Amino acid sequence: MTSAQPEKKKALAYRQTGQPDTLVNVGANVCFGAEKIVLIGGPCAVESQKQITDTARAVAEAGAVMLRGGAWKPRTSPYDFQGLKEEGLLMLAQARQETGLPIVTEVLDPRDVEKVGEVADMLQIGSRSVQNFPLLREVGISGKPVLLKRGMMTTIEEWLDAAEYVLAAGNSNVVLCERGIRTFDTALRNTLDVCAVAVLKHITHLPVIVDPSHAAGDFRYVVALARAAVAVGADGLLVESHWRPAEALSDANQSLTPGQFQELTTECRAVATAIGRTL
Ligand SMILES: [Mn+2]
């Protein structure tokens, strides 16, 4: 060792020499890390049965293979809409039954992991929870596929250390999701770190996907960022879409209409073809 720092144990999250990409399967038909790029669509929050089912149908028609939707919402202000909680989970399950799309939804509290895991096909750890270590341990123990978002202030190394908590608990089904970080620039909500995707595809064997919606915070830039994500090598896209964005109770400004979501699919498919992948 030339460094004075003690050697860190990074055996699980980091790619060992020659180690192939890890594939993470969700439901019967979705596989992260394979040639086909996984497109996930749906609203920021579950708001009603009609809203989630109609949005699910729309994104499925436009090429999405998984449904997103928050039942527990970590909001910056405690007075903002906090989600429909258990009721929202049941609505997600109903939307899955009607469309066949597996569900990814956020779990906020270690005490809810079992309850959310009984319904969700994949557990999302949100940006604000990326270093909630008891929660990471709990989703590790659950064995369910985990979508681990990057914190807005988390370095790549800290993010992989967070993944290590899940892996160390015996759960190898971890998908990393870049969603924009805070930088000096204030033009958009966050800055999409496409560098992180390139770096991660090299240093970890875990699948890496991109959330262009929270990076941009503005529907006008989501399609362009999604194209960039596919070009840099992302294994999937997590995109906020709403059947009526103007009525959305959270993140209305970055939600795509079904028509815009279709446009995203068409353009990203062209980029995927250009780099020898499918979507
Ligand atoms: Mn959102």
Side-chain angles (χ1 to χ4, degrees):
M1 293 291 289
T2 51
S3 164
Q5 289 181 333
E7 191 179 354
K8 291 178 80 175
K9 284 184 184 163
K10 295 171 176 173
L12 299 173
Y14 285 74
R15 193 193 292 276
Q16 304 300 305
T17 309
Q19 186 178 2
D21 288 345
T22 288
L23 303 178
V24 174
N25 293 296
V26 177
N29 301 313
V30 175
C31 180
F32 290 88
E35 179 199 299
K36 186 176 161 69
I37 293 162
V38 176
L39 181 57
I40 308 168
C44 183
V46 180
E47 297 165 359
S48 69
Q49 190 63 66
K50 182 163 176 54
Q51 173 249 12
I52 190 65
T53 304
D54 285 4
T55 302
R57 282 209 188 93
V59 295
E61 268 174 39
V65 295
M66 267 185 83
L67 176 65
R68 61 148 293 144
W72 277 264
K73 296 305 300 175
R75 304 303 299 281
T76 304
S77 164
Y79 308 115
D80 286 340
F81 174 60
Q82 302 287 311
L84 297 179
K85 305 186 170 75
E86 286 85 353
E87 204 187 344
L89 274 185
L90 295 176
M91 291 174 182
L92 280 167
Q94 181 65 28
R96 171 177 54 201
Q97 202 177 331
E98 292 189 33
T99 60
L101 298 181
I103 298 160
V104 57
T105 195
E106 178 164 357
V107 59
L108 260 177
D109 189 317
R111 294 168 293 189
D112 292 337
V113 168
E114 201 176 331
K115 177 166 56 184
V116 178
E118 278 170 13
V119 175
D121 300 283
M122 187 177 210
L123 299 173
Q124 178 176 314
I125 301 297
S127 291
R128 289 156 187 82
S129 298
V130 69
Q131 290 184 312
N132 182 338
F133 303 117
L135 179 61
L136 293 170
R137 275 203 198 90
E138 212 53 48
V139 298
I141 292 164
S142 80
K144 301 284 295 190
V146 175
L147 184 64
L148 181 61
K149 286 205 160 191
R150 183 182 191 176
M152 59 192 81
M153 309 277 276
T154 320
T155 65
I156 292 171
E157 189 179 3
E158 288 164 344
W159 186 14
L160 285 176
D161 280 342
E164 194 75 23
Y165 272 85
V166 182
L167 298 166
N171 186 352
S172 58
N173 301 305
V174 179
V175 175
L176 301 165
C177 181
E178 160 63 32
R179 47 78 73 204
I181 53 174
R182 281 193 174 163
T183 66
F184 56 83
D185 201 283
T186 54
L188 293 177
R189 183 172 177 178
N190 292 288
T191 298
L192 179 64
D193 187 4
V194 289
C195 304
V197 181
V199 169
L200 286 166
K201 289 305 295 175
H202 177 62
I203 66 173
T204 176
H205 53 91
L206 298 170
V208 184
I209 73 167
V210 165
D211 169 356
S213 305
H214 290 87
D218 183 327
F219 73 93
R220 293 173 297 181
Y221 306 113
V222 171
V223 175
L225 296 186
R227 289 196 308 257
V230 172
V232 79
D235 297 305
L237 296 167
L238 178 71
V239 180
E240 285 192 343
S241 178
H242 195 287
W243 68 315
R244 289 177 185 167
E247 295 174 14
L249 296 179
S250 59
D251 287 346
N253 202 41
Q254 67 197 34
S255 293
L256 301 188
T257 62
Q260 289 161 342
F261 193 91
Q262 178 64 63
E263 182 190 331
L264 178 143
T265 307
T266 305
E267 295 191 15
C268 287
R269 250 180 209 146
V271 179
T273 304
I275 59 163
R277 296 185 78 170
T278 56
L279 184 149

